[in-house]
Amino acid sequence: MQKKTFRFGSSSTDYYFAGGISHLKEIVDQKNAVIITDENVFAAHEKRFKNWNTIVLKAGEQYKIQSTVDVVIEQLIELGVDRKWTLIGIGGGVITDLTGYIASVFLRGIRFGFVPTTLLALVDASIGGKNGIDVGVYKNMVGTIRQPSFILHDLIFLNTLPEKEWRNGFAEIIKHACIKDAAMFDELESKDLNYYHRKKKEVCALIQRNALIKTKVVQEDELESGERRLLNFGHTLGHAVENQYQLMHGEAVAVGIGFAAKLSERILKFKNAERIDAVLSQYGLPCAATYDKDKVFAVLKGDRKKEKDFIHFILLERIGKGTIRPISLDDLYEYL
Ligand SMILES: NC(=O)c1ccc[n+]([C@@H]2O[C@H](COP(=O)([O-])OP(=O)(O)OC[C@H]3O[C@@H](n4cnc5c(N)ncnc54)[C@H](O)[C@@H]3O)[C@@H](O)[C@H]2O)c1
Ligand SMILES: [Zn+2]
C-alpha cells in the first residue's frame, strides 16, 4: 500500500491515499485497536467493521461534547485499552475531532489515526491535528493540537454520503482554491457538483490535491500564528451567520466567502468576486444571505480573532492568493 509521510513540527503523519479500509490491519494491530464511528456510518457500512472493536456514537455536532468523551473513556477502560493501543476515528469531522481529542487525553495520549468518510473530513477536518469538543454554544472551545499517526482514504464511503454533505465539502474546496490554488479554481469553474458526483477518478484527484493544500499550510504554521489563519477564509462571517440562521456549515462559509470576495474588491481592488459567486452556485452553495446586520456584528465583535478595535480578516489579492488584513470594527460594520 502506497504511503506518503508528512512531517509536522513535533511529529509526522502517514497518508494512505489509495488505501482501502481492508488494509487497515496492516497499519494497526487489530487486537489492540478500537474504532470510533457514528451510527450513520456504521449502519451504512457495517460489514467493514467486522472483527474490529467498535464504539458507535450517536451522529451529530450536538454530541461533540464532554459527556460523549466520558462515555467513550469508560468503554476504553472496560476494553482494557492501554498505551499500546490505537484509536481509529472512522467518520466525518465530528468523529475525527472527538477521536483525536479522546486519544490525546486518555492515558495522557495514545496513538490514533483517521479514516475520514465525508468530503469535508477528507479535505479538511482530518488534517492538521486540531481536535476537540464544543462547550455550550462555543464551538471547539476545548481541545489539543496533536497530529494523527495515519490518515487512510477509502472513497467507497462516499457512495453513501448525502448530497448536502457533498456541498459542505465543496465549500472548503472552493475556499482552498480561492486562497491557494488558481489552477484548481479554473478547474472547478469548468465543472460542477454533478460532474464530480459521477467521476470517481476526478473526485479522488481533487480530494488528494485539497488534502495536500491543507497539509502544506499546516506544515508551515502548525500552531496558527500566521499562514494557517488563511484557512479561516469565509469563516469569520460564516460562523457569525451559521448558528443564527440555521445554515449548514458549508452554506455559511459560502456566504462568508461571497462577502470576503466583495470586501476584497472594495479594499484590495480584487476583480473576480463575480467569478467566485458563480463557482459557489455551480456547487449548490449560496454567495449571500439576508441577515440582521446588528446581530451578526455583535457576534463578530466577540470573534476569537479580534484584537482591540480591529479584526484579522482574510481577503483575496487575486484568485489563488489569500492575505490577512486588519479591518477596523467600524469599517466592518459599514461593509456588512
Ligand atoms: N479539526 C479540524 O481542523 C476541523 C476542520 C473543519 C471542520 N472540523 C469539524 O468537523 C465537523 C464537521 O464535519 P462533517 O461535516 O464531516 O460532519 P459530521 O461528522 O457530522 O458528518 C456529517 C453527517 O454525515 C454522516 N456521514 C458521515 N460519513 C458518511 C458516509 N460515508 N455515508 C453516510 N453518512 C455519512 C454523519 O453521520 C453526519 O450525519 C465540525 O464539528 C467541525 O468543527 C474540524
Ligand atoms: Zn469550515
Side-chain angles (χ1 to χ4, degrees), residues 12 31 43-44 64 71 92 125 128 155 189 224 230 255 310 314:
S12 63
K31 282 198 284 313
K64 204 177 98 174
V71 169
L155 301 193
E189 206 169 29
E224 195 165 332
L230 290 178
V255 169
F310 61 89
I314 319 304

Side-chain angles (χ1 to χ4, degrees), residues 5-19:
T5 302
F6 292 90
R7 274 219 70 81
F8 297 91
S10 50
S11 61
S12 63
T13 304
D14 297 332
Y15 288 38
Y16 301 90
F17 278 139

Side-chain angles (χ1 to χ4, degrees), residues 22-272:
S22 59
H23 293 282
L24 203 52
K25 18 184 207 315
E26 297 158 28
I27 311 173
V28 294
D29 172 12
Q30 201 164 25
K31 282 198 284 313
N32 293 313
V34 183
I35 289 175
I36 298 176
T37 189
D38 76 28
E39 57 197 0
N40 294 336
V41 178
F42 188 75
H45 298 273
E46 196 168 342
K47 62 173 188 283
R48 301 184 213 291
F49 295 87
K50 213 175 147 211
N51 297 328
W52 290 92
N53 298 307
T54 305
I55 296 174
V56 182
L57 303 177
K58 291 213 180 81
E61 181 75 29
Q62 67 272 34
Y63 297 104
K64 204 177 98 174
I65 50 173
Q66 184 61 40
S67 57
T68 305
V69 175
D70 296 343
V71 169
V72 171
I73 286 177
E74 271 167 33
Q75 294 187 55
L76 295 180
I77 294 169
E78 219 161 275
L79 280 165
V81 173
D82 64 30
R83 303 201 58 160
K84 291 189 299 294
W85 286 55
T86 304
L87 295 194
I88 309 161
I90 303 185
V94 167
I95 287 297
T96 56
D97 277 13
L98 270 169
T99 303
Y101 181 58
I102 293 165
S104 300
V105 295
F106 184 67
L107 299 176
R108 296 199 186 83
I110 62 173
R111 181 174 181 251
F112 68 101
F114 298 141
V115 182
T117 65
T118 63
L119 188 56
L120 184 137
L122 284 155
V123 301
D124 189 354
S126 66
I127 301 159
K130 279 192 191 175
N131 51 62
I133 52 172
D134 305 332
V135 179
V137 297
Y138 302 103
K139 279 202 65 175
N140 304 320
M141 198 53 160
V142 169
T144 62
I145 294 189
R146 194 158 171 271
Q147 302 297 336
S149 77
F150 66 87
I151 297 173
L152 180 139
H153 287 186
D154 188 338
L155 301 193
I156 196 123
F157 285 103
L158 292 181
N159 292 342
T160 58
L161 190 70
E163 152 81 26
K164 67 179 184 12
E165 301 302 337
W166 281 83
R167 288 187 278 127
N168 270 328
F170 266 101
E172 309 294 348
I173 289 173
I174 294 167
K175 173 189 84 177
H176 286 156
C178 287
I179 58 169
K180 280 287 165 193
D181 191 339
M184 183 167 81
F185 190 90
D186 292 346
E187 181 185 317
L188 292 169
E189 206 169 29
S190 69
K191 308 283 187 325
D192 61 15
L193 187 55
N194 217 338
Y195 171 87
Y196 286 108
H197 245 314
R198 286 179 289 113
K199 300 275 191 184
K200 277 259 154 62
K201 230 175 82 200
E202 284 72 7
V203 86
C204 180
L206 187 69
I207 286 168
Q208 292 183 20
R209 184 172 185 156
N210 279 277
L212 293 177
I213 291 172
K214 176 154 184 197
T215 299
K216 187 150 177 280
V217 171
V218 175
Q219 280 181 312
E220 283 168 27
D221 175 25
E222 193 181 17
L223 303 179
E224 195 165 332
S225 52
E227 184 78 356
R228 189 168 183 171
R229 292 191 193 165
L230 290 178
L231 296 171
N232 291 319
F233 181 61
H235 282 64
T236 308
L237 183 74
H239 283 148
V241 296
E242 184 168 353
N243 299 338
Q244 290 188 49
Y245 297 94
Q246 317 281 300
L247 293 172
M248 288 198 310
H249 180 68
E251 291 170 332
V253 168
V255 169
I257 289 176
F259 174 75
K262 273 149 231 148
L263 198 55
S264 304
E265 287 198 329
R266 294 180 71 157
I267 297 179
L268 297 176
K269 306 204 165 35
F270 173 71
K271 303 238 165 26
N272 289 303

